[in-house]
Amino acid sequence: MIRTATPGDIPVIHALVRELAEYEKAPHEARATPAQLHDALFGEHPAAYAHIATDDTTGEPVGFALWFLNFSTWRGVHGIYLEDLYVRPDARGAGHGKALLTELARICVARGYERLEWSVLNWNTPSIAFYESLGAHPQNEWTVYRLTDESLRTLGDPT
């Protein structure tokens, strides 16, 4: 079952983010606090949205999708950028990941959004195979760039 996250889900979303960071071999990079997640998802000006996948039998959360809107100047409409998709290892293979992506695709279609995009680590071959089985295509002609930490501060405040 997939449902929209509520403020009461913040502890589990935070835990799932931490588990995802461990899986991606970067736990030191996951610094978001529960308060930050709450503000981003449920504050005065929400910047992101989340859906929770629950076990069909127990109702316990087993995964999540956290996403936000992007905009295509070429298409002239919004799309969804999927920041995180994670299903706990013991719940994988039961359709939770597909159900989360299906819900996001449904939102795109219902709202007239023309893109659902995300990034995946090159070494994560199980996820790549899963995404391609759904019809997703890699955007090989693009390279992601990122400014963080000291580089971002230097560019943003060169004084």
Side-chain angles (χ1 to χ4, degrees), residues 2 16 19-20 23 53 61-65 84-100 130:
I2 305 301
L16 291 165
E19 290 175 33
L20 173 61
Y23 175 76
V62 295
F64 81 116
D84 288 331
L85 175 72
Y86 179 73
V87 175
R88 289 182 163 145
D90 59 347
R92 292 183 188 153
H96 301 294
K98 183 177 181 180
L100 286 163
F130 167 64

Side-chain angles (χ1 to χ4, degrees), residues 96-114:
H96 301 294
K98 183 177 181 180
L100 286 163
L101 284 171
T102 298
E103 178 61 12
L104 297 186
R106 185 198 64 73
I107 291 169
C108 285
V109 171
R111 297 181 185 177
Y113 303 162
E114 294 191 16

Side-chain angles (χ1 to χ4, degrees), residues 56-103:
D56 294 337
T57 305
T58 66
E60 291 297 312
V62 295
F64 81 116
L66 194 141
W67 56 278
F68 55 88
L69 295 179
N70 59 17
F71 184 81
S72 170
T73 57
W74 288 20
R75 301 237 175 167
V77 296
H78 282 292
I80 286 178
Y81 186 83
L82 175 59
E83 179 66 20
D84 288 331
L85 175 72
Y86 179 73
V87 175
R88 289 182 163 145
D90 59 347
R92 292 183 188 153
H96 301 294
K98 183 177 181 180
L100 286 163
L101 284 171
T102 298
E103 178 61 12

